[in-house]
Amino acid sequence: SQQGEEDPQALSIQEGENATMNCSYKTSINNLQWYRQNSGRGLVHLILIRSNEREKHSGRLRVTLDTSKKSSSLLITASRAADTASYFCATVDNYGQNFVFGPGTRLSVLP
Amino acid sequence: GAVVSQHPSRVICKSGTSVKIECRSLDFQATTMFWYRQFPKKSLMLMATSNEGSKATYEQGVEKDKFLINHASLTLSTLTVTSAHPEDSSFYICSARDNTGQSGLVIYNEQFFGPGTRLTVL
């Protein structure tokens, strides 16, 4: 799973399988966001979940948030080769001032 | 959605030269802009936060005299890497946020990211 100071994780799966990526954080948050980054490219905002929400869906994406455990997960269902990318979680604190990225997970979806 | 651009997208320079990277918000006023640095296969690390019309706030360990940030207008922030060295080679990403709510984009404190600039110092 991702944490702010750890090396990025790597995950390889076959096309069609589900991919689950985890993220943990240390402080109280206002919201948590997931981003995708293709190699050498900018960030694409995927989904945002607020601290008072437990689960959110967007297409093939499902995000959960457990504030008691200070953790979140991103599930990509029925993965495709085009989902190959790095995925980062980022937390925003209660003051909306600090935006902290996790180390990321490099997902490889094999055709 | 809001669009943030960066220019140039890629730059190669000789050691000792200075390089300026521009970050522009194209369809909203960015009262706050952020500069991040990303090493290969690593996460983004915040370098500094700049508010329009005031001095940037640098994160611990970031040399403000080396990484000059200017946020002179509500749509433009620049990062100048002065006297660049090979260890400054990295991917630099900016983001922008509208704190005023005028663009309707401030909900959830969302930041909008630029596409990044790849700096290679020879």
Side-chain angles (χ1 to χ4, degrees), chain A residues 7-8 30-31 33 35 37 40-43 45 48 50 56 88 92 95-97 99 101-104 106, chain B residues 10 34 36 38 41-46 49 59 91 93 97 107-116 118:
Chain A
D7 288 335
N30 175 279
N31 65 77
Q33 303 177 32
Y35 289 83
Q37 184 182 36
R41 306 296 293 274
L43 295 175
H45 182 263
L48 180 151
R50 303 184 79 180
K56 215 166 180 180
F88 296 93
V92 179
Y95 302 100
Q97 299 301 314
F99 201 91
F101 281 91
R106 293 198 306 276
Chain B
R10 187 182 297 268
F34 305 85
Y36 295 83
Q38 185 180 31
K41 299 183 180 180
K42 294 290 186 179
S43 187
L44 283 75
M45 298 297 294
L46 180 65
T49 302
E59 295 299 302
F91 193 55
I93 301 177
R97 185 174 72 192
I107 299 174
Y108 301 135
N109 296 310
E110 187 172 3
Q111 293 185 24
F112 299 93
F113 288 85
R118 171 83 52 199

Side-chain angles (χ1 to χ4, degrees), chain B residues 1-83:
Chain B
V3 178
V4 175
S5 69
Q6 278 185 244
H7 178 79
S9 58
R10 187 182 297 268
V11 58
I12 300 173
C13 68
K14 292 183 179 180
S15 186
T17 60
S18 293
V19 176
K20 179 184 284 189
I21 303 170
E22 294 184 348
C23 176
R24 292 182 186 273
S25 58
L26 299 185
D27 49 5
F28 68 102
Q29 293 184 331
T31 45
T32 304
M33 285 185 167
F34 305 85
W35 287 95
Y36 295 83
R37 181 174 183 177
Q38 185 180 31
F39 290 105
K41 299 183 180 180
K42 294 290 186 179
S43 187
L44 283 75
M45 298 297 294
L46 180 65
M47 299 175 65
T49 302
S50 71
N51 292 297
E52 185 267 338
S54 62
K55 290 184 178 180
T57 301
Y58 290 82
E59 295 299 302
Q60 192 172 7
V62 178
E63 300 176 59
K64 59 182 179 182
D65 293 331
K66 180 165 187 62
F67 299 99
L68 301 179
I69 292 172
N70 187 315
H71 190 167
S73 79
L74 285 171
T75 59
L76 174 64
S77 176
T78 60
L79 168 68
T80 302
V81 183
T82 62
S83 186

Side-chain angles (χ1 to χ4, degrees), chain A residues 21-34 47-57 62-75 89-92 94:
Chain A
M21 290 161 277
N22 299 303
C23 165
S24 60
Y25 55 92
K26 298 179 181 178
T27 62
S28 296
I29 62 170
N30 175 279
N31 65 77
L32 185 145
Q33 303 177 32
W34 283 91
I47 197 166
L48 180 151
I49 186 166
R50 303 184 79 180
S51 60
N52 61 354
E53 297 175 314
R54 291 295 167 260
E55 188 171 312
K56 215 166 180 180
H57 298 255
R62 173 176 167 253
V63 169
T64 62
L65 178 65
D66 187 335
T67 52
S68 66
K69 296 181 179 178
K70 291 187 167 55
S71 67
S72 173
S73 67
L74 171 68
L75 168 68
C89 68
T91 55
V92 179
N94 283 322

